Amino acid sequence: MAYRFVAFGEVLWDLLPSGRVLGGAPFNFTRRVASIGNLSTMISRLGDDDLGREALAAMGELGMDTRCIQRDARRPTGTVPVSFDAGGNPVFTIVPDVAYDFIEPAPEAEAAVSAADCFCFGTLAQRSRVSAATLAGLLERFTGNLRLLDLNLRRDCWTPESVRSSIERADVLKLNDSEAETVASLYGLEGLPLRAFPVALLGKTRLSHVVVTLGPRGAFAVSGSGEAVYEPAYAVDVVDTVGSGDAFTAAFAHGLLAGWPLACSVGFGNALGACVAGQRGATGPVASADVERLVRDDRRRELDPRFG
């Protein structure tokens, strides 16, 4: 069954050492949920410039719905220089005052949100009061099944207030292990073992699920019903990890909407994320046969000792 997904936030160009690649966490998410058979819409804003026109053309070539992509004659299309640390993890330099900071209310966006099963949002686009206010209005309009918060904390682009308010408006929270430490400090949960953190956070919020991604060591998810699942990552030859977390989020959300067991949703997320990590950039095609082969062969990386 196909579900309707809407994502709100940044469409931008990742400026990788190897070249320019269209990206942004909600954009990558939108691309991935469509690639696994769902309907998806991206709500964002691009500059009325060469990079904006190139982004729109690229989205069209990918078969993406661009009806909710606004144009801005005053501000440029977003760009993010990306480097990699010694562990191969991306390091982002977020350029401020760009088009996606000024997403405005629009009938097309309101209609898309009203029809959606899942609404995905993050914190980066909320650094601007304009986009933050637009997001707040759309979240009030949403009546679907899942408000999905993919936290994506970027340096100097969030506040404790924006994180707390985002969590308060979400049903599902996805974050990585370093972000879990930040959120723990905001909720008075410092010092808890990582496997205890999601359970404690569920007790302090209205969240139905918390999932913590652990990079090459897999992911850990907990539901409000008390189910807890750890799944180690699949082994692939990593090219770069940009977009792999967004692919995980897309697959995990699909599993939740489909009513799969939590372990299946986490495992599907790991598999799709691993396939994306095996290629350059975040939006290249991933064949369903490649995902199925990973699951069938069941070659896993080492267990995270915190969960093994």
Side-chain angles (χ1 to χ4, degrees), residues 49-251:
D49 51 20
D50 288 344
L51 287 180
R53 287 184 281 275
E54 188 177 344
L56 272 180
M59 293 177 73
E61 291 172 2
L62 291 169
M64 298 180 70
D65 181 357
T66 60
R67 288 175 296 175
C68 295
I69 303 298
Q70 302 172 11
R71 304 303 299 276
D72 193 317
R74 296 176 54 198
R75 301 170 186 89
T77 297
T79 54
V80 176
V82 183
S83 59
F84 292 88
D85 63 21
N89 300 303
V91 179
F92 303 96
T93 301
I94 310 295
V95 177
D97 199 29
V98 295
Y100 66 75
D101 290 316
F102 297 90
I103 304 170
E104 299 175 349
E108 298 85 357
E110 293 173 356
V113 167
S114 296
D117 299 300
C118 177
F119 185 3
C120 180
F121 66 103
T123 56
L124 177 52
Q126 296 184 65
R127 66 181 177 172
S128 158
R129 285 181 293 178
V130 175
S131 289
T134 300
L135 173 61
L138 292 174
L139 282 168
E140 289 182 3
R141 180 173 291 269
F142 178 74
T143 59
N145 293 319
L146 292 180
R147 292 176 178 84
L148 171 60
L149 172 58
D150 188 1
L151 203 58
N152 277 314
L153 298 182
R154 301 296 184 228
R155 186 179 59 190
D156 300 326
C157 295
W158 60 274
T159 65
E161 292 75 20
S162 68
V163 171
R164 276 184 164 279
S165 67
S166 294
I167 290 173
E168 289 168 4
R169 293 177 290 176
D171 303 307
V172 178
L173 171 64
K174 177 259 184 180
L175 70 175
N176 61 35
D177 47 358
S178 64
E179 291 167 341
E181 294 180 6
T182 299
V183 173
S185 69
L186 296 179
Y187 282 85
L189 303 174
E190 305 97 321
L192 282 179
L194 184 57
R195 68 180 305 144
F197 159 74
V199 177
L201 186 62
L202 285 171
K204 286 179 170 283
T205 65
R206 58 174 295 276
L207 293 166
S208 64
H209 295 79
V210 176
V211 57
V212 183
T213 54
L214 308 166
R217 292 190 171 181
F220 177 65
V222 176
S223 73
S225 64
E227 186 179 9
V229 169
Y230 167 68
E231 290 287 330
Y234 289 95
V236 295
D237 294 326
V238 174
V239 175
D240 76 57
T241 58
V242 175
S244 60
D246 307 318
F248 173 94
T249 308

Side-chain angles (χ1 to χ4, degrees), residues 32 237-242 274-287 290:
R32 285 295 158 215
D237 294 326
V238 174
V239 175
D240 76 57
T241 58
V242 175
C275 287
V276 171
Q279 62 185 21
R280 186 179 79 87
T283 58
V286 173
D290 293 335

